[in-house]
Amino acid sequence: RKFLAQLVDLQWDFMKGVSLDGSDMRIHLDELLSKMSSIIASFTDLLASASFSESLLCKLVATMAFSTLTASNQGKLCSTKRLSAKRSKDPIWNEGFIMTNQALAFSFVLRFCTVLANHFYGHMTKRENKPNASSLINIRSLTPLLLGSSFITSIYEGSDWFHGLVFYRNDESSGDSMSSENNSIR
C-alpha cells in the first residue's frame, strides 16, 4: 500500500509539474529525481516478491502513460495544435515547461518498463533451464511490459500529445532523424 501511495503522489507531482528554478510550490527537480529512484527500487523489490497481479501492473502502466501525456498541464491533454494556439495568443508563453515535464514523466515510464523487462528476462532465463516449463502464462510482467512497450513505441513514432521527445537522443546515423516537418514543436 505504501508503494502505491508513493506512486500516486509521484503521478500527482508529474501533473502539477516540476519547479525548475524553485520559485514556486511545485516539487523541486532534485527531490523528484530522488523520489523516482526510490520508487523504482521499491518496485523492483516488490515485483521480485510477486506482490502485484498482472491486472494491477497493467493499471499502473496505463496510469503512468496518462500522467506522461498530461504532465504539468493539470491532468489535461494538450495537442500540438493547442500548444501552437497558446503560443500565438501569448508570445512569451513557454511550452518548454510542458515539454520538460513530459520528458521527466516519460523517463519514469522507461525506467518502470525496464524493471518489467528485466523481470521478464529473469523468468525466461529460468525457463530455459527447465525443459518442461514451456508456458508463459505465469509471468505477470509480460502483459504490462507489452502495454508499456506499445506506449513507448507510440511516443517514439510521434504523438500529437507528447511534446518531450526533443529531450531524447535521436541517432541520426539510423536515418530516423527528426526533421522540423515531423516535429512541429521544434
Side-chain angles (χ1 to χ4, degrees), residues 32-112:
L32 177 81
L33 295 175
S34 174
K35 205 179 218 188
M36 287 168 57
S37 294
S38 173
I39 290 171
I40 289 295
S42 295
F43 177 62
T44 303
D45 294 341
L46 290 168
L47 188 61
S49 303
S51 299
F52 301 104
S53 69
E54 181 180 38
S55 173
L56 178 58
L57 288 170
C58 286
K59 289 173 186 169
L60 294 177
V61 170
T63 300
M64 287 184 285
F66 179 77
S67 294
T68 297
L69 296 177
T70 61
S72 79
N73 201 31
Q74 301 165 345
K76 299 174 192 163
L77 290 170
C78 187
S79 69
T80 303
K81 287 180 183 179
R82 186 166 172 217
L83 280 181
S84 297
K86 277 186 170 185
R87 194 178 320 118
S88 343
K89 288 179 185 174
D90 183 4
I92 62 170
W93 180 75
N94 183 3
E95 69 267 13
F97 185 68
I98 289 177
M99 295 166 68
T100 303
N101 283 284
Q102 283 187 338
L104 286 167
F106 187 57
S107 72
F108 186 77
V109 171
L110 292 171
R111 291 173 69 185
F112 193 89

